[in-house]
Each structure stands twice: as C-alpha cells, then as structure tokens.
Amino acid sequence: CGLQHAHMYFEVVAVAPPEYDAWAEAQRRPAAPPTEAMAERGRRLFMSGSCMMCHAIQGTSANARKAPDLTHVASRAWLAAGAFQNTPGDLAAWISDPQKIKPGANMPAQPLAPEDLQALVAYLGTLR
C-alpha cells in the first residue's frame, strides 16, 4: 500500500450468518462480462494495458497479485484503503493521479485520453 500504510481505513460490517454466507459466495464468483459497449471498451483497455500487470479480475486473463483484486471492486464503498469513496469521479481521479489522493501509494498514474478513462471507469463499475 506504500507510504500511507498507517492511514488505512477499514469498515467492518456485521451481518447475520445467512447474509454473510450469501455475500461470501458472491465474492467467489468470477466477474460477469460487460453487456454495454462502453464497458466492453473499458474491459479491452484494462486487458491490453498496464492494469492487468498488477491487478487480477477473476474470470479473465488478468491474474496478477501485486495490487488489489478488482473482481468485485464496484461492490466496495471505499477504495485505496479508505482514501476515497467509490464513485466514478473519484475512481477516475485515482486512476489518473493516485499520488494526488494518496501520496506514496504504489499505484502509478495512468495517463489516458478522457474517453479511454471514461470507458475504463465504466468497466470497473460493472464489477459487482
């Protein structure tokens, strides 16, 4: 997580065992393929760019283990260990310049054209 390790935020949610079991089962499922053109474009960008060199998405050929698994990233309320809420705008800002949000983070900036960034965020938004 880089220099910000001491600033990691965790949210603990207590639920009844059946609800937890259902959540855990859903987390073990691979990512569903995108159904919309913009998200499919984002998937292609993810799979052909540097993202898959560090991140994994189960059910795809992205299987790196240097960074968080993104299989169900859209189901998370917070990202970057609580550095920001998981909204499309905040996610785009993180991808573009993680050091601005969390100095010392191991995530490198991803300089993308605006339409490519929008497509990548759309794809990540499908990963529930």
Side-chain angles (χ1 to χ4, degrees):
C1 57
L3 300 173
Q4 295 285 329
H5 184 76
H7 298 172
M8 292 177 74
Y9 169 84
F10 292 95
E11 182 175 31
V12 177
V13 178
V15 296
E19 187 177 346
Y20 173 79
D21 292 342
W23 173 84
E25 177 60 31
Q27 293 300 301
R28 287 189 284 274
R29 291 187 198 119
T35 59
E36 296 184 11
M38 177 72 79
E40 174 55 30
R41 180 171 175 228
R43 186 197 66 76
R44 287 193 309 270
L45 287 165
F46 185 97
M47 300 307 289
S48 66
S50 61
C51 301
M52 68 181 285
M53 294 172 66
C54 296
H55 293 282
I57 297 177
Q58 302 307 311
T60 74
S61 60
N63 58 14
R65 296 286 179 218
K66 291 182 180 181
D69 184 306
L70 301 179
T71 304
H72 302 289
V73 68
S75 68
R76 301 174 194 159
W78 297 88
L79 295 176
F84 62 93
Q85 288 187 305
N86 191 1
T87 66
D90 286 346
L91 182 56
W94 171 255
I95 293 167
S96 297
D97 189 2
Q99 300 305 312
K100 185 175 181 182
I101 296 170
K102 191 175 178 185
N106 289 335
M107 168 99 172
Q110 301 298 313
L112 296 168
E115 58 276 4
D116 289 344
L117 180 59
Q118 182 182 8
L120 183 57
V121 169
Y123 171 56
L124 295 173
T126 69
L127 300 176
R128 297 206 167 273

